[in-house]
Amino acid sequence: MSFRTTSAIDYVEDVSPGSGALPPRARYASSDARSLSLNGSWRFRLSPTADAEDDSFAAEGFDAGDWAEVSVPGHWVLQGHGSPIYTNHLYPFPVDPPRVPTGNPTGDHLHTFDLPYDWPSDGGAVLRFDGVESCARVWLNGTDIGEFKGSRLPHEFAVGHLLKPGGNALAVRVHQWSAGSYLEDQDQWWLPGIFRDVTLLHRPAGGVLDFFVHASYDHVEGLGTLRVDSDVDGRVTVPGLDIDVATGASVTVPVLPWTAETPQLYDGVLATEGERVPLRVGFRTVALKDGLIKVNGTPLLFKGVNRHEWHPERGRALDLETMREDVLLMKRHNINAVRTSHYPPHPAFLDLCDEYGLWVVDECDLETHGFTEQAWRDNPVDDDRWTPALLDRAARMVERDKNHPSVVIWSLGNEAGTGRGLTAMAEWIRGRDGSRLLHYEGDIDCRDTDVYSRMYADHAEVERIGRGLDGGTHKRRGLPFILCEYGHAMGNGPGGIADYQHLFETYDRIQGGFIWEWIDHGIKDERYGFAYGGDFGEELHDGNFVCDGLLFPDRTPSPGLAEYKKVIEPVRIVGWGSPLLERSRELGGAADGSVRVTNGYDFADLSALAFEWSYQVDGETVEAGVLSVPELAPGESADVKLPDQPAGSGGGETQWTVRATLAADTAWGPKDHLVAWAQFPLSARPLTAVAQSDGPVLGEGQITLGPAAFDARTGALRSIGGVDVRGLRLDVWRAPTDNDNGAAWQPDLRYGPLWRELGLHRMHHRLEAVELGDDALTVRTRVAPAAREVALRTVYRWTSDGTRLRLTVSVAPEGDWRLPLPRLGIRLRLAGSVHGARWFGGGPGEAYPDTKSASMVGCWESTIDGLQTPYVRPQENGARADVRWVEIGGLRVEGEPEFWFTARRWTSEQLDAAEHPTDLKAGDTVWVNLDHGQQGIGSQSCGPGVLPQYQLRPAPAEFTFHFSEIHG
């Protein structure tokens, strides 16, 4: 005989959303009613199971003096109690819904507080939790007031009848795993704890309950209509618009609309008998019209990012200034939209989006991705038992965030398969708020949604969709298309985003996308700098897949963010020499001597920008001035004449640079902040001539040729003048990037593993001949991997004019090369103290063939350490593009044609072997790569690979370098 007893912790595995909480309602940041923050230091006890301890700790007078302390908001695993776990989509516990393991870390939190002396004695009080992972039970002064799930959602409890003036004991038991965990499999660290604010709110008699601000805009008449529906009658005043009306009444007045580019907010007040709540009203209308997402009658182009909440020390416990830093960085990098992946953010973030201007796709706290491992069998979103929990999550998102003008789309969640529960959520949201559109990427036929959304569709498919050739249901064919995730920003990359943007701007149906994602989720760690999956001994983990952002964990912008800023810049400046030259001429583009400036904003004119020109000779600016550009309306273009070419500037490589900057300080950026730029070449650089005046001379064990010495037996370069130069030879290997290594589900295109299988990381160099001619030293070699037939016949031909040394490298592939090469060039090492480099070419940051939109041609300099990009997992980085010449370690190197330049204090092999930057130990040698070609980057760590035009396919090649010693 067997039986199961009812346990006091059965709520942990209950599929219901909880009990005891008040209905969800609109959140407002402040009012004239009193509030008390309960954030701070709390007593804490960790237990290994959900039932290891009874609830006696919740009783009044319990002595927790020997307990540890944790900060709230916070995660206990980031405060020395247990360890974080990272998985992308695998559940870190057996999939047996709704059951969770017996081993269920449970944190008892205890906080004692006094009411302020002037806390009102009338009315009631509400205890609000803004975020707790993943399940919590709450007691106040020994009374059990309820339990809840829904980690990234608010829950409130009526507690006025339980409060006393002093010594209030708030006890919260938090379980890491619960039935709710099955709904929260969101490609992030599993981090239990009370990670958002805990607040006590006085609720005066006649105070505000729920309210809904409806503020639409008629773009034809320029009129805004305001109606505030409130559960408690009151009045709404907006002094700036002379509005004073009763709740529930509509009023229409002339207004300036709210958009992400022009975030006009009007301050108002909702006043009831017992409370005054400040309002910030933004008038705008969101509509699906003519098959497009339109706001205020204008189609949008999302230039967005997906944003997980993250701080490298505090996890998802973000403070206001960190959130503000995110918003300011987005605005300063031309980003106009955020998808709140994959849960509603801290409510203060939406306040900032309202204030500074960002379009928001607000996503529900729902993902059941781990059920893909069993072909979605038992998926909660298609199980009626879970539907109340799904509806609760939808309601808590919509009710909390419905008054934010920045929120233009509701998203049902992410990667949760399909099912009846999602349909129920969509129907509820439409019934509650018909003023916004609905999104869910998994709804491939768009049965419940207003937007056709995809992740990581490659460029060819996106173009087919833009042309209307993608098929699908009749409804889907008439809907706008967005890439809710694209451009996977893991490690070095993403590549190919300029090619995506070209498609977005070509086809009206494609309304942009959202880069995955905003920030690397590295955890600050004294062992590694930043830790990622597996660094905490997790049983299952997905490595550094959690580090796939445009920011490094400390919020330092990555080269990928600089690239994205350039690709999505809101002003297009086109002239002769531009990559868009031919297309511009087809469209009536600028004539020689002028540039065509196009306003790419959706709503704003160019009055906030100042334009300037500069004229460079050999990368150095010799003259600059103001460029007069009309205050173009959105979509308008104008041809603007540049000044005459400055006199006496011939003889070198010349170019124009045009910049658009902020004309004055704004809320998000300082005066002179760079918004957009373009460069236009005038005259090409004159190539350096090296007359072959000196011939090689054979001496005792060495060959001399001009300023250089070579090993007589091998022909290997030893020195150039007084500079020790060793190890110069053909190099084709790079430490594979995360995108080179690719996604496991695309094995045939994972070039990193295929390169390694071919043996490109261990090439053998066979010397075939050292030939001394009258005017040249020629060294013939065969470069090939062990166990393979393929090879690269490589000839080094050295000549000199007595002062300079010229090297021409000829490469001829042999055999059946089926893979592109990682790189093609030469590598050499410089011994001794090499502190930095100066170069004329692309900069200031790294670039690769499909990530060099942001590479500006000029003269740059950097330390050797500054040339490195500190990816959380070390990989190929730091190449500078289109280099004409570089000076490093006493050498000057000029290229024919331009080349890629990289310098670091470790080899590519050492970089490849490192798991963290702390594994890399600098020596007294600098390794320099001078590359004729580089393989592109792509975004195949989760998206498409390198486009054909950026692949480095083996083919006969010849390239030349000139070496000379720098004197003085």
Side-chain angles (χ1 to χ4, degrees):
M1 175 173 149
S2 64
F3 60 91
R4 185 181 179 198
T5 59
T6 300
S7 167
I9 61 164
D10 279 353
Y11 66 89
V12 173
E13 295 180 343
D14 191 337
V15 298
S16 72
S19 63
L22 295 169
R25 63 177 181 137
R27 187 187 193 277
Y28 45 91
S30 63
S31 79
D32 62 351
R34 292 296 304 274
S35 66
L36 177 66
S37 172
L38 301 181
N39 297 345
S41 180
W42 290 43
R43 291 292 183 175
F44 177 78
R45 174 181 65 188
L46 181 64
S47 303
T49 65
D51 58 356
E53 301 285 350
D54 61 26
D55 59 7
S56 60
F57 80 104
E60 294 183 81
F62 181 84
D63 183 6
D66 59 345
W67 286 21
E69 293 188 16
V70 294
S71 293
V72 171
H75 306 278
W76 70 69
V77 293
L78 297 183
Q79 300 183 63
H81 305 279
S83 298
I85 299 169
Y86 168 62
T87 60
N88 168 27
H89 76 278
L90 296 174
Y91 290 108
F93 47 79
V95 180
D96 182 24
R99 299 175 181 84
V100 294
T102 301
N104 187 358
T106 295
D108 289 334
H109 298 70
L110 190 59
H111 185 62
T112 302
F113 64 94
D114 299 331
L115 295 179
Y117 74 92
D118 55 350
W119 187 266
S121 58
D122 63 328
V126 165
L127 177 64
R128 184 175 67 211
F129 295 89
D130 279 316
V132 182
E133 183 175 331
S134 72
C135 172
R137 193 169 196 93
V138 186
W139 296 261
L140 181 61
N141 292 329
T143 298
D144 183 350
I145 61 174
E147 47 84 16
F148 61 92
K149 307 177 190 75
S151 298
R152 267 66 69 174
L153 297 162
H155 294 83
E156 293 183 330
F157 298 88
V159 297
H161 60 294
L162 300 175
L163 291 172
K164 55 186 183 179
N168 291 282
L170 175 58
V172 185
R173 174 163 285 169
V174 180
H175 307 282
Q176 174 155 19
W177 310 123
S178 69
S181 301
Y182 285 99
L183 306 180
E184 297 173 3
D185 188 23
Q186 293 146 323
D187 186 12
Q188 60 182 336
W189 294 96
W190 299 87
L191 298 174
I194 306 171
F195 67 94
R196 287 186 184 160
D197 304 291
V198 183
T199 311
L200 184 68
L201 305 168
H202 175 241
R203 306 310 306 135
V208 173
L209 294 177
D210 191 25
F211 64 96
F212 197 160
V213 177
H214 303 273
S216 61
Y217 180 70
D218 181 340
H219 67 278
V220 176
E221 301 294 334
L223 300 175
T225 298
L226 176 66
R227 186 184 83 247
V228 178
D229 295 332
S230 174
D231 287 357
V232 176
D233 290 342
R235 296 198 68 79
V236 176
T237 56
V238 184
L241 297 173
D242 292 329
I243 290 176
D244 185 347
V245 296
T247 54
S250 295
V251 59
T252 299
V253 295
V255 298
L256 296 174
W258 188 98
T259 76
E261 296 165 9
T262 57
Q264 175 68 49
L265 293 173
Y266 293 93
D267 291 329
V269 173
L270 167 61
T272 65
E273 180 183 355
E275 188 175 12
R276 292 171 57 86
V277 174
L279 303 177
R280 305 196 78 187
V281 181
F283 292 87
R284 55 103 185 99
T285 294
V286 184
L288 178 63
K289 189 173 182 181
D290 304 321
L292 297 174
I293 304 165
K294 294 186 177 182
V295 172
N296 304 335
T298 298
L300 299 185
L301 184 59
F302 291 119
K303 302 171 182 179
V305 291
N306 287 273
R307 176 185 175 270
H308 267 299
E309 295 188 304
W310 188 250
H311 188 280
E313 296 174 83
R314 300 191 297 272
R316 288 187 286 279
L318 296 190
D319 60 280
L320 179 62
E321 288 313 305
T322 297
M323 291 184 271
R324 190 186 307 277
E325 184 179 358
D326 279 348
V327 170
L328 293 178
L329 279 169
M330 290 176 189
K331 295 291 289 187
R332 291 169 185 169
H333 287 85
N334 296 328
I335 290 164
N336 72 0
V338 178
R339 175 178 174 230
T340 68
S341 52
H342 297 294
Y343 42 81
H346 191 291
F349 180 77
L350 297 180
D351 292 336
L352 295 167
C353 293
D354 293 342
E355 178 182 351
Y356 292 102
L358 288 168
W359 307 115
V360 175
V361 178
D362 198 355
E363 193 149 270
C364 194
D365 191 11
L366 172 63
E367 181 168 338
T368 63
H369 200 171
F371 284 90
T372 57
E373 295 297 308
Q374 53 199 64
W376 296 106
R377 186 175 62 256
D378 298 326
N379 184 12
V381 304
D382 200 30
D383 183 335
D384 291 339
R385 296 175 301 164
W386 295 80
T387 299
L390 303 184
L391 291 172
D392 180 75
R393 288 171 184 249
R396 291 187 182 279
M397 171 183 71
V398 171
E399 302 295 7
R400 190 196 76 168
D401 297 341
K402 60 182 178 281
N403 295 327
H404 289 282
S406 57
V407 177
V408 293
I409 296 177
W410 300 117
S411 178
L412 301 180
N414 183 69
E415 292 177 315
T418 58
R420 292 163 288 175
L422 289 164
T423 298
M425 293 170 69
E427 290 175 349
W428 185 91
I429 293 174
R430 288 191 196 282
R432 178 56 172 151
D433 177 25
S435 69
R436 294 175 173 93
L437 305 184
L438 274 184
H439 167 273
Y440 176 64
E441 181 268 343
D443 184 10
I444 196 69
D445 292 327
C446 303
R447 183 182 64 176
D448 298 320
T449 54
D450 302 307
V451 181
Y452 178 29
S453 175
R454 290 283 303 282
M455 296 179 181
Y456 307 108
D458 63 27
H459 300 77
E461 183 177 3
V462 171
E463 182 163 24
R464 288 195 298 273
I465 293 169
R467 296 173 63 191
L469 303 177
D470 56 304
T473 63
H474 176 75
K475 179 184 178 183
R476 194 182 84 182
R477 293 197 303 272
L479 293 180
F481 175 78
I482 63 170
L483 279 168
C484 67
E485 294 180 20
Y486 83 109
H488 198 250
M490 186 175 177
N492 188 334
I497 57 175
D499 305 88
Y500 273 118
Q501 191 66 24
H502 173 70
L503 295 172
F504 299 166
E505 295 177 7
T506 299
Y507 299 101
D508 291 342
R509 184 189 183 190
I510 306 173
Q511 293 196 256
F514 298 79
I515 293 289
W516 185 269
E517 65 157 308
W518 177 237
I519 188 169
D520 288 344
H521 302 196
I523 294 176
K524 189 173 182 181
D525 189 290
E526 62 182 12
R527 300 168 298 171
Y528 307 123
F530 296 107
Y532 51 77
D535 288 337
F536 299 98
E538 300 104 302
E539 176 186 12
L540 294 175
H541 66 85
D542 286 286
N544 68 312
F545 202 70
V546 76
C547 295
D548 45 14
L550 295 170
L551 298 181
F552 295 121
D554 62 359
R555 283 182 161 72
T556 299
S558 75
L561 183 55
E563 176 77 359
Y564 194 41
K565 174 187 177 181
K566 174 61 180 165
V567 165
I568 62 176
E569 60 188 11
V571 180
R572 295 301 186 198
I573 307 168
V574 179
W576 73 97
S578 164
L580 300 177
L581 172 62
E582 295 305 320
R583 184 165 180 267
S584 173
R585 284 178 173 165
E586 290 172 8
L587 300 176
D592 287 359
S594 64
V595 295
R596 169 155 286 196
V597 178
T598 300
N599 180 355
Y601 286 112
D602 292 327
F603 298 91
D605 63 25
L606 299 188
S607 59
L609 301 181
F611 290 79
E612 61 184 40
W613 60 266
S614 59
Y615 180 78
Q616 289 88 36
V617 177
D618 290 334
E620 301 283 2
T621 296
V622 296
E623 228 176 293
V626 173
L627 189 66
S628 180
V629 176
E631 294 180 359
L632 300 170
E636 287 187 344
S637 298
D639 291 348
V640 181
K641 189 75 170 67
L642 290 169
D644 293 334
Q645 184 176 348
S649 58
E653 179 178 354
T654 58
Q655 67 178 12
W656 295 99
T657 300
V658 176
R659 293 177 172 85
T661 62
L662 290 181
D665 291 346
T666 70
W668 53 265
K671 182 179 183 295
D672 299 327
H673 166 77
L674 182 62
V675 174
W677 60 272
Q679 292 185 309
F680 313 108
L682 281 175
S683 60
R685 68 183 174 113
L687 297 179
T688 302
V690 178
Q692 300 175 3
S693 59
D694 278 24
V697 178
L698 178 62
E700 187 66 33
Q702 73 174 18
I703 299 167
T704 58
L705 177 61
F710 300 81
D711 184 282
R713 183 180 63 85
T714 64
L717 180 65
R718 289 178 172 175
S719 63
I720 299 174
V723 180
D724 185 34
V725 184
R726 300 298 173 105
L728 187 150
R729 64 183 189 180
L730 188 78
D731 191 20
V732 298
W733 180 247
R734 74 184 188 194
T737 67
D738 290 313
N739 287 303
D740 289 337
N741 285 330
W745 55 88
Q746 299 172 307
D748 294 339
L749 297 175
R750 298 178 66 197
Y751 287 134
L754 292 173
W755 288 335
R756 202 179 302 277
E757 180 182 349
L758 182 59
L760 298 188
H761 60 308
R762 47 174 178 77
M763 299 290 275
H764 292 252
H765 296 251
R766 188 181 76 200
L767 177 63
E768 295 189 329
V770 177
E771 301 170 355
L772 277 69
D774 291 339
D775 61 357
L777 168 65
T778 302
V779 180
R780 303 183 185 275
T781 66
R782 184 178 189 270
V783 182
R788 307 293 178 184
E789 291 183 313
V790 296
L792 299 169
R793 291 278 181 183
T794 307
V795 178
Y796 308 89
R797 188 175 189 274
W798 299 93
T799 59
S800 176
D801 64 0
T803 302
R804 290 166 295 184
L805 189 66
R806 175 186 174 99
L807 168 63
T808 297
V809 181
S810 303
V811 180
E814 290 183 347
D816 186 10
W817 284 90
R818 300 185 179 183
L819 299 175
L821 295 172
R823 66 175 356 124
L824 181 67
I826 59 172
R827 180 170 77 173
L828 56 88
R829 65 178 186 264
L830 301 174
S833 57
V834 180
H835 300 295
R838 182 172 178 267
W839 71 97
F840 174 25
E846 76 179 23
Y848 290 82
D850 55 351
T851 66
K852 67 173 189 172
S853 299
S855 182
M856 181 183 286
V857 174
C859 286
W860 309 98
E861 58 183 312
S862 171
T863 64
I864 299 300
D865 292 340
L867 290 170
Q868 315 313 306
T869 304
Y871 293 114
V872 177
R873 187 193 71 82
Q875 56 198 273
E876 166 63 31
N877 72 89
R880 268 55 181 182
D882 302 318
V883 175
R884 282 73 164 155
W885 55 256
V886 61
E887 295 177 346
I888 181 172
L891 279 184
R892 180 182 173 95
V893 185
E894 300 178 53
E896 295 179 22
E898 289 79 20
F899 58 97
W900 307 82
F901 156 66
T902 310
R904 53 176 67 102
R905 299 190 186 278
W906 36 77
T907 65
S908 295
E909 292 76 16
Q910 291 168 329
L911 187 64
D912 185 17
E915 296 292 333
H916 299 88
T918 50
D919 296 332
L920 295 166
K921 308 301 180 185
D924 58 358
T925 299
V926 169
W927 298 85
V928 178
N929 278 92
L930 309 171
D931 290 318
H932 176 64
Q934 275 269 1
Q935 167 80 352
I937 297 296
S939 65
Q940 201 174 359
S941 50
C942 196
V946 179
L947 288 168
Q949 62 266 37
Y950 305 121
Q951 293 180 7
L952 183 61
R953 291 288 171 178
E958 185 172 282
F959 47 94
T960 296
F961 297 104
H962 302 160
F963 298 88
S964 57
E965 184 180 7
I966 302 171
H967 297 282

